[in-house]
Amino acid sequence: MDACLSALDLACRRGDRVLFRGVSFALESGKALHVTGPNGCGKSSLIRILAGLLRPFAGSVERAGAAALVDGRLAFDEHLPLGRALAFWERLDGGSADLEALGLADLIDVPVRYLSTGQRKRAALARLTGQGAPIWLLDEPLNGLDAAGAALVEAMVAEHLGAGGVAVIASHQPFALASGRTFHLPDHAA
Amino acid sequence: MTTALTLLRRDLVLLLPGSGRGSTLLPLLFFLAVAMLFPFAVGPDAALLARTGGGVIWVAALLAAILPLDRLFAPDLGTGFVDQLALRGISEELAVAVRMLAHWLSFGPLLMLAALPASALLGLDGATLRVLELGLLAGTPGLAAIGVIIAALTVGLRGGTALAGLLVIPLAVPLLVFGAGALATGGQGGLTLCAAISLLLAAIAPFAGGAAIRAAREG
């Protein structure tokens, strides 16, 4: 897997407030960035800009490789059983996830709306691995997960980086990264 | 192509009656209820009913097409579906075109079927029914296209549903004029124009809707 993600002098404006400016970094294969900062400092907006879902107020993003996003929204049809909801994305992505490892194997017949917060997060991670994208953009990936789940996410990210992927993790919680650095977003507050 | 089919399959499950988010038989029942109530309201004058019945069915069809608008895009934007499709390089235009097809399939053919009992309730004759069915075939794709455009434009607004209903009505006037007008003249000209407007709207809708969805995503 060959990937790279770089940001050049990014600025983000929400409404009439500039959240941050002058954000620049470059990530090559196997590297990760842990974006930290308090609520409202623009972590999610940065992730959405990197994903290409939000236009930056200034600056540019360069991506080599497809990007996958996990945020607070699950993008599953709530009334469907988990297995069928995942199957929709698997048909689009052409890959599938190891549900056993994610602890979801017993839940495939359960409608998505009955899943707990942690189970929903695990389901989103299943969609993420099935997508097989080299660039992972994770917005608060540890929210709602128990200790085992958090360790699982950290292991997944480590494995992804080992395979040559790139990851940006926005989280106010500590996140164990073998080959990555921390980026404190409030340092770039406008 | 497989992408479009996968999307269409999901959209049909969501929009067709008796599946998914449910309650999609409501537009159909609403349509029949209007056709049933109209004779009660204007009285049992068979000649009057036969003359105005076709127009009533058209108005009922328009109103029935408005009912599902709030379910067209708003849920997908809220749950992050739109974002995930964009990340996979699936254009908003394709998603909107597929949604338009599914939206039409979920009410167009059903309305044409329901027009049979409705025309019986209103005492329409065979020739009128034929022009009516052809007109619905020509006009409902246009109604679906207008619905998709308006639903996409109002997707990020609070109270967008009521506004969407109001916005659809003036845009649907040309379809009504030619589609329902053909009933009075019995001519082919109105139907052809109605079909032409439908084609034009269906061609514009994916691009207009796609741009609107992109704008809503940025918001």
Side-chain angles (χ1 to χ4, degrees), chain A residues 105-149:
Chain A
D106 297 335
L107 299 172
I108 54 171
D109 292 326
V110 178
V112 174
R113 64 170 177 271
Y114 294 136
L115 296 182
S116 75
T117 314
Q119 287 167 339
R120 295 167 77 89
K121 191 60 96 179
R122 285 165 187 260
L125 295 168
R127 191 192 62 227
L128 170 76
T129 46
Q131 197 178 343
I135 300 173
W136 281 12
L137 304 169
L138 311 180
D139 189 3
E140 301 290 357
L142 303 182
N143 268 12
L145 286 175
D146 51 20

Short mmCIF file of all heavy atoms in Angstrom, two decimals, chain A residues 105-149:
data_model
loop_
_atom_site.label_atom_id
_atom_site.label_comp_id
_atom_site.label_asym_id
_atom_site.label_seq_id
_atom_site.Cartn_x
_atom_site.Cartn_y
_atom_site.Cartn_z
N ALA A 105 -19.59 -10.77 15.42
CA ALA A 105 -20.08 -11.97 14.74
C ALA A 105 -21.47 -12.37 15.22
O ALA A 105 -22.30 -12.84 14.44
CB ALA A 105 -19.09 -13.11 14.92
N ASP A 106 -21.74 -12.17 16.51
CA ASP A 106 -23.04 -12.59 17.05
C ASP A 106 -24.15 -11.57 16.77
O ASP A 106 -25.30 -11.81 17.09
CB ASP A 106 -22.94 -12.78 18.56
CG ASP A 106 -21.97 -13.89 18.93
OD1 ASP A 106 -21.77 -14.78 18.06
OD2 ASP A 106 -21.41 -13.86 20.03
N LEU A 107 -23.78 -10.44 16.21
CA LEU A 107 -24.75 -9.35 16.11
C LEU A 107 -25.29 -9.14 14.70
O LEU A 107 -26.06 -8.21 14.47
CB LEU A 107 -24.11 -8.03 16.57
CG LEU A 107 -23.62 -7.99 18.01
CD1 LEU A 107 -22.83 -6.71 18.28
CD2 LEU A 107 -24.80 -8.08 18.97
N ILE A 108 -24.91 -10.00 13.76
CA ILE A 108 -25.26 -9.70 12.37
C ILE A 108 -26.76 -9.71 12.12
O ILE A 108 -27.23 -9.10 11.17
CB ILE A 108 -24.55 -10.64 11.36
CG1 ILE A 108 -24.83 -12.09 11.70
CG2 ILE A 108 -23.08 -10.38 11.28
CD1 ILE A 108 -24.36 -13.03 10.63
N ASP A 109 -27.53 -10.38 12.98
CA ASP A 109 -28.99 -10.42 12.77
C ASP A 109 -29.71 -9.33 13.57
O ASP A 109 -30.94 -9.23 13.52
CB ASP A 109 -29.54 -11.79 13.16
CG ASP A 109 -29.06 -12.86 12.19
OD1 ASP A 109 -28.90 -12.54 11.00
OD2 ASP A 109 -28.83 -14.00 12.63
N VAL A 110 -28.95 -8.53 14.32
CA VAL A 110 -29.57 -7.52 15.16
C VAL A 110 -29.72 -6.22 14.36
O VAL A 110 -28.77 -5.77 13.73
CB VAL A 110 -28.69 -7.25 16.41
CG1 VAL A 110 -29.30 -6.15 17.27
CG2 VAL A 110 -28.51 -8.53 17.20
N PRO A 111 -30.92 -5.64 14.33
CA PRO A 111 -31.07 -4.35 13.63
C PRO A 111 -30.13 -3.30 14.21
O PRO A 111 -29.92 -3.26 15.42
CB PRO A 111 -32.53 -3.97 13.89
CG PRO A 111 -33.22 -5.26 14.15
CD PRO A 111 -32.20 -6.14 14.84
N VAL A 112 -29.62 -2.47 13.32
CA VAL A 112 -28.60 -1.50 13.72
C VAL A 112 -29.09 -0.60 14.84
O VAL A 112 -28.34 -0.23 15.73
CB VAL A 112 -28.17 -0.66 12.49
CG1 VAL A 112 -27.23 0.45 12.89
CG2 VAL A 112 -27.53 -1.56 11.45
N ARG A 113 -30.40 -0.27 14.84
CA ARG A 113 -30.88 0.69 15.85
C ARG A 113 -30.85 0.13 17.26
O ARG A 113 -30.93 0.88 18.21
CB ARG A 113 -32.29 1.17 15.50
CG ARG A 113 -33.36 0.10 15.52
CD ARG A 113 -34.75 0.73 15.42
NE ARG A 113 -35.77 -0.30 15.36
CZ ARG A 113 -36.21 -0.85 14.24
NH1 ARG A 113 -35.73 -0.45 13.09
NH2 ARG A 113 -37.12 -1.80 14.26
N TYR A 114 -30.72 -1.20 17.41
CA TYR A 114 -30.64 -1.79 18.75
C TYR A 114 -29.21 -1.91 19.25
O TYR A 114 -29.00 -2.35 20.38
CB TYR A 114 -31.29 -3.18 18.76
CG TYR A 114 -32.78 -3.15 18.51
CD1 TYR A 114 -33.38 -4.06 17.65
CD2 TYR A 114 -33.58 -2.21 19.15
CE1 TYR A 114 -34.74 -4.03 17.41
CE2 TYR A 114 -34.94 -2.16 18.91
CZ TYR A 114 -35.52 -3.08 18.05
OH TYR A 114 -36.86 -3.04 17.81
N LEU A 115 -28.22 -1.55 18.43
CA LEU A 115 -26.83 -1.70 18.86
C LEU A 115 -26.48 -0.62 19.89
O LEU A 115 -27.00 0.49 19.85
CB LEU A 115 -25.89 -1.58 17.66
CG LEU A 115 -26.02 -2.66 16.58
CD1 LEU A 115 -24.99 -2.44 15.49
CD2 LEU A 115 -25.87 -4.05 17.16
N SER A 116 -25.56 -0.98 20.79
CA SER A 116 -25.11 0.00 21.78
C SER A 116 -24.10 0.93 21.14
O SER A 116 -23.65 0.71 20.01
CB SER A 116 -24.46 -0.73 22.95
OG SER A 116 -23.18 -1.18 22.56
N THR A 117 -23.74 1.99 21.87
CA THR A 117 -22.80 2.97 21.33
C THR A 117 -21.49 2.31 20.90
O THR A 117 -20.97 2.56 19.82
CB THR A 117 -22.50 4.04 22.41
OG1 THR A 117 -23.74 4.45 22.97
CG2 THR A 117 -21.79 5.22 21.80
N GLY A 118 -20.96 1.46 21.80
CA GLY A 118 -19.70 0.79 21.48
C GLY A 118 -19.82 -0.15 20.31
O GLY A 118 -18.94 -0.24 19.45
N GLN A 119 -20.95 -0.86 20.26
CA GLN A 119 -21.17 -1.79 19.14
C GLN A 119 -21.29 -1.04 17.82
O GLN A 119 -20.83 -1.50 16.79
CB GLN A 119 -22.41 -2.63 19.40
CG GLN A 119 -22.20 -3.68 20.48
CD GLN A 119 -23.51 -4.29 20.97
OE1 GLN A 119 -24.58 -3.71 20.81
NE2 GLN A 119 -23.41 -5.48 21.55
N ARG A 120 -21.91 0.13 17.88
CA ARG A 120 -22.03 0.94 16.66
C ARG A 120 -20.65 1.38 16.18
O ARG A 120 -20.36 1.38 14.99
CB ARG A 120 -22.91 2.17 16.91
CG ARG A 120 -24.35 1.82 17.22
CD ARG A 120 -25.09 3.01 17.78
NE ARG A 120 -25.45 3.94 16.73
CZ ARG A 120 -26.59 3.86 16.04
NH1 ARG A 120 -27.45 2.91 16.29
NH2 ARG A 120 -26.85 4.72 15.10
N LYS A 121 -19.81 1.76 17.14
CA LYS A 121 -18.45 2.17 16.77
C LYS A 121 -17.70 1.00 16.15
O LYS A 121 -16.99 1.16 15.14
CB LYS A 121 -17.73 2.69 18.02
CG LYS A 121 -16.42 3.38 17.74
CD LYS A 121 -16.61 4.59 16.84
CE LYS A 121 -16.71 5.86 17.64
NZ LYS A 121 -16.88 7.04 16.77
N ARG A 122 -17.86 -0.19 16.72
CA ARG A 122 -17.21 -1.37 16.15
C ARG A 122 -17.73 -1.64 14.73
O ARG A 122 -16.97 -2.02 13.84
CB ARG A 122 -17.47 -2.60 17.03
CG ARG A 122 -16.65 -2.60 18.30
CD ARG A 122 -17.20 -3.61 19.30
NE ARG A 122 -16.52 -3.51 20.59
CZ ARG A 122 -15.55 -4.32 20.98
NH1 ARG A 122 -15.15 -5.30 20.20
NH2 ARG A 122 -14.98 -4.16 22.16
N ALA A 123 -19.03 -1.42 14.53
CA ALA A 123 -19.60 -1.64 13.19
C ALA A 123 -19.00 -0.66 12.19
O ALA A 123 -18.70 -1.02 11.04
CB ALA A 123 -21.12 -1.48 13.24
N ALA A 124 -18.79 0.59 12.64
CA ALA A 124 -18.18 1.58 11.75
C ALA A 124 -16.76 1.15 11.39
O ALA A 124 -16.30 1.33 10.26
CB ALA A 124 -18.17 2.94 12.42
N LEU A 125 -16.06 0.56 12.38
CA LEU A 125 -14.70 0.09 12.12
C LEU A 125 -14.72 -1.08 11.13
O LEU A 125 -13.80 -1.23 10.31
CB LEU A 125 -14.01 -0.34 13.42
CG LEU A 125 -13.78 0.81 14.41
CD1 LEU A 125 -13.38 0.28 15.77
CD2 LEU A 125 -12.71 1.76 13.87
N ALA A 126 -15.77 -1.90 11.20
CA ALA A 126 -15.90 -3.00 10.24
C ALA A 126 -16.04 -2.44 8.83
O ALA A 126 -15.45 -2.95 7.88
CB ALA A 126 -17.10 -3.87 10.60
N ARG A 127 -16.84 -1.37 8.69
CA ARG A 127 -16.98 -0.74 7.38
C ARG A 127 -15.65 -0.18 6.91
O ARG A 127 -15.27 -0.29 5.76
CB ARG A 127 -18.03 0.38 7.46
CG ARG A 127 -18.44 0.92 6.09
CD ARG A 127 -19.22 2.21 6.22
NE ARG A 127 -18.42 3.22 6.85
CZ ARG A 127 -18.84 4.00 7.83
NH1 ARG A 127 -20.05 3.88 8.30
NH2 ARG A 127 -18.03 4.90 8.35
N LEU A 128 -14.91 0.40 7.86
CA LEU A 128 -13.61 1.00 7.54
C LEU A 128 -12.65 -0.05 6.99
O LEU A 128 -12.02 0.16 5.95
CB LEU A 128 -13.03 1.63 8.81
CG LEU A 128 -11.58 2.10 8.75
CD1 LEU A 128 -11.50 3.40 7.97
CD2 LEU A 128 -11.03 2.30 10.15
N THR A 129 -12.53 -1.20 7.67
CA THR A 129 -11.57 -2.20 7.20
C THR A 129 -12.02 -2.82 5.89
O THR A 129 -11.20 -3.12 5.03
CB THR A 129 -11.35 -3.31 8.25
OG1 THR A 129 -12.63 -3.72 8.74
CG2 THR A 129 -10.52 -2.81 9.40
N GLY A 130 -13.34 -2.96 5.72
CA GLY A 130 -13.84 -3.52 4.46
C GLY A 130 -13.53 -2.62 3.28
O GLY A 130 -13.40 -3.09 2.15
N GLN A 131 -13.42 -1.32 3.54
CA GLN A 131 -13.20 -0.38 2.44
C GLN A 131 -11.80 -0.53 1.85
O GLN A 131 -11.60 -0.26 0.67
CB GLN A 131 -13.42 1.05 2.96
CG GLN A 131 -13.60 2.06 1.85
CD GLN A 131 -13.87 3.46 2.40
OE1 GLN A 131 -14.22 3.61 3.57
NE2 GLN A 131 -13.69 4.46 1.57
N GLY A 132 -10.82 -0.91 2.69
CA GLY A 132 -9.47 -1.14 2.18
C GLY A 132 -8.80 0.11 1.66
O GLY A 132 -7.96 0.03 0.76
N ALA A 133 -9.15 1.28 2.20
CA ALA A 133 -8.55 2.52 1.73
C ALA A 133 -7.21 2.73 2.44
O ALA A 133 -7.07 2.40 3.61
CB ALA A 133 -9.48 3.70 2.00
N PRO A 134 -6.22 3.29 1.75
CA PRO A 134 -4.90 3.50 2.36
C PRO A 134 -4.87 4.65 3.37
O PRO A 134 -4.01 4.68 4.23
CB PRO A 134 -3.98 3.78 1.17
CG PRO A 134 -4.88 4.22 0.07
CD PRO A 134 -6.21 3.57 0.31
N ILE A 135 -5.78 5.61 3.23
CA ILE A 135 -5.78 6.74 4.15
C ILE A 135 -6.96 6.62 5.10
O ILE A 135 -8.11 6.58 4.68
CB ILE A 135 -5.88 8.07 3.38
CG1 ILE A 135 -4.70 8.22 2.42
CG2 ILE A 135 -5.95 9.26 4.33
CD1 ILE A 135 -4.80 9.41 1.50
N TRP A 136 -6.66 6.53 6.39
CA TRP A 136 -7.72 6.43 7.39
C TRP A 136 -7.88 7.76 8.10
O TRP A 136 -6.90 8.31 8.62
CB TRP A 136 -7.38 5.35 8.43
CG TRP A 136 -7.64 3.96 7.97
CD1 TRP A 136 -7.92 3.57 6.70
CD2 TRP A 136 -7.60 2.77 8.76
NE1 TRP A 136 -8.07 2.21 6.65
CE2 TRP A 136 -7.89 1.69 7.89
CE3 TRP A 136 -7.37 2.51 10.11
CZ2 TRP A 136 -7.94 0.38 8.35
CZ3 TRP A 136 -7.42 1.21 10.56
CH2 TRP A 136 -7.71 0.15 9.68
N LEU A 137 -9.08 8.27 8.14
CA LEU A 137 -9.37 9.49 8.87
C LEU A 137 -10.36 9.13 9.98
O LEU A 137 -11.51 8.78 9.71
CB LEU A 137 -9.98 10.54 7.93
CG LEU A 137 -9.12 10.88 6.71
CD1 LEU A 137 -9.91 11.70 5.71
CD2 LEU A 137 -7.86 11.60 7.13
N LEU A 138 -9.88 9.16 11.21
CA LEU A 138 -10.71 8.70 12.32
C LEU A 138 -11.02 9.87 13.24
O LEU A 138 -10.12 10.48 13.81
CB LEU A 138 -9.97 7.60 13.10
CG LEU A 138 -9.36 6.47 12.27
CD1 LEU A 138 -8.67 5.46 13.17
CD2 LEU A 138 -10.42 5.78 11.42
N ASP A 139 -12.29 10.16 13.37
CA ASP A 139 -12.74 11.26 14.21
C ASP A 139 -13.27 10.67 15.51
O ASP A 139 -14.32 10.03 15.52
CB ASP A 139 -13.82 12.06 13.48
CG ASP A 139 -14.17 13.33 14.22
OD1 ASP A 139 -13.54 13.61 15.25
OD2 ASP A 139 -15.09 14.03 13.76
N GLU A 140 -12.55 10.90 16.60
CA GLU A 140 -12.89 10.33 17.91
C GLU A 140 -13.19 8.83 17.82
O GLU A 140 -14.30 8.39 18.16
CB GLU A 140 -14.10 11.06 18.51
CG GLU A 140 -13.90 12.55 18.71
CD GLU A 140 -12.91 12.90 19.82
OE1 GLU A 140 -12.40 11.97 20.48
OE2 GLU A 140 -12.62 14.09 19.99
N PRO A 141 -12.24 8.02 17.38
CA PRO A 141 -12.52 6.60 17.20
C PRO A 141 -12.72 5.84 18.50
O PRO A 141 -13.28 4.75 18.50
CB PRO A 141 -11.26 6.08 16.47
CG PRO A 141 -10.19 7.03 16.84
CD PRO A 141 -10.84 8.36 17.03
N LEU A 142 -12.28 6.43 19.63
CA LEU A 142 -12.39 5.70 20.89
C LEU A 142 -13.67 6.00 21.65
O LEU A 142 -13.96 5.38 22.66
CB LEU A 142 -11.18 6.02 21.79
CG LEU A 142 -9.81 5.72 21.17
CD1 LEU A 142 -8.70 6.03 22.15
CD2 LEU A 142 -9.73 4.28 20.71
N ASN A 143 -14.44 6.96 21.18
CA ASN A 143 -15.69 7.32 21.87
C ASN A 143 -16.61 6.11 22.02
O ASN A 143 -16.92 5.45 21.04
CB ASN A 143 -16.44 8.38 21.06
CG ASN A 143 -16.08 9.78 21.51
OD1 ASN A 143 -15.12 9.95 22.27
ND2 ASN A 143 -16.83 10.76 21.04
N GLY A 144 -17.03 5.87 23.23
CA GLY A 144 -18.00 4.81 23.44
C GLY A 144 -17.41 3.42 23.51
O GLY A 144 -18.14 2.46 23.76
N LEU A 145 -16.12 3.26 23.27
CA LEU A 145 -15.53 1.93 23.29
C LEU A 145 -15.01 1.60 24.69
O LEU A 145 -14.53 2.47 25.41
CB LEU A 145 -14.37 1.84 22.30
CG LEU A 145 -14.75 1.77 20.82
CD1 LEU A 145 -13.49 1.80 19.97
CD2 LEU A 145 -15.55 0.52 20.53
N ASP A 146 -15.09 0.31 25.07
CA ASP A 146 -14.51 -0.13 26.33
C ASP A 146 -12.99 -0.29 26.15
O ASP A 146 -12.47 -0.08 25.05
CB ASP A 146 -15.15 -1.43 26.81
CG ASP A 146 -15.16 -2.49 25.73
OD1 ASP A 146 -14.36 -2.37 24.78
OD2 ASP A 146 -15.97 -3.41 25.81
N ALA A 147 -12.31 -0.66 27.23
CA ALA A 147 -10.84 -0.74 27.19
C ALA A 147 -10.38 -1.72 26.11
O ALA A 147 -9.44 -1.44 25.35
CB ALA A 147 -10.31 -1.16 28.56
N ALA A 148 -11.09 -2.86 26.02
CA ALA A 148 -10.70 -3.85 25.02
C ALA A 148 -10.90 -3.30 23.62
O ALA A 148 -10.07 -3.50 22.72
CB ALA A 148 -11.52 -5.13 25.21
N GLY A 149 -12.00 -2.58 23.46
CA GLY A 149 -12.29 -1.99 22.15
C GLY A 149 -11.25 -0.96 21.76
O GLY A 149 -10.79 -0.91 20.62
#
